[in-house]
Amino acid sequence: MDENQVNDPELIRRLLTTPARWAVVGLSANPHRVAPSIARYLRDELGMDIIPVSLRAENALGERGYAKLADIPGKIDVVNCFVNSHKVGDVVDQAISVGASAIWMQLGVRDDAAAQRAKDAGLEVVMDTCPKIEYPLL
């Protein structure tokens, strides 16, 4: 994969229109961060189940929080990454190890090597965009 990698519009459409469990990594109770508004949008507008994941395992938006993906019971469909690009590789590796189906790296988050590892492990990948930007374009 290279810097010119383009997200697949059909993949984006499917991820945003199919009810799923989204683990939102970097979601905390801090209202000054972007993650809570996007997680609320995923849950309230798109009908997704959201699972907050942060180092402090904070509850957010009335949902139980977890410290890492491996702590979450049950299947994780999409891992939504609100972490810096230099930290996203670890999240991708966790997603691979727990058998997640897809990785969504938020706007400004890009790691081509981690994306390739995810694809090689059978996960679908969206990079450097936001559900709230993409959904109205469907």
Side-chain angles (χ1 to χ4, degrees), residues 106-119:
Q106 280 297 137
L107 195 62
V109 181
R110 173 176 206 101
D111 181 330
D112 292 310
Q116 191 60 56
R117 284 196 310 277
K119 287 182 176 186

Side-chain angles (χ1 to χ4, degrees), residues 22-28 35 51-55 67-69 72 79-83 91 94 106:
W22 287 57
V24 183
V25 179
L27 175 57
S28 70
I51 305 158
V53 181
S54 66
L55 292 176
K68 57 187 185 285
L69 296 178
I72 299 170
V79 177
N80 189 0
C81 304
F82 279 95
V83 297
V91 176
Q94 287 183 51
Q106 280 297 137

Side-chain angles (χ1 to χ4, degrees), residues 15-94:
L15 291 178
L16 295 181
T17 59
T18 305
R21 292 181 83 212
W22 287 57
V24 183
V25 179
L27 175 57
S28 70
N30 183 344
H32 302 293
R33 306 286 307 217
V34 175
S37 69
I38 302 306
R40 184 178 287 112
Y41 180 79
L42 286 166
R43 184 186 67 191
D44 298 349
E45 302 298 321
L46 304 186
M48 305 301 171
D49 292 330
I50 59 155
I51 305 158
V53 181
S54 66
L55 292 176
R56 291 181 293 205
E58 284 183 71
N59 293 344
L61 305 177
E63 307 288 345
R64 175 163 179 218
Y66 297 88
K68 57 187 185 285
L69 296 178
D71 295 340
I72 299 170
K75 174 87 171 113
I76 300 168
D77 298 304
V78 182
V79 177
N80 189 0
C81 304
F82 279 95
V83 297
N84 293 328
S85 294
H86 68 277
K87 293 181 178 177
V88 79
D90 177 57
V91 176
V92 169
D93 292 340
Q94 287 183 51

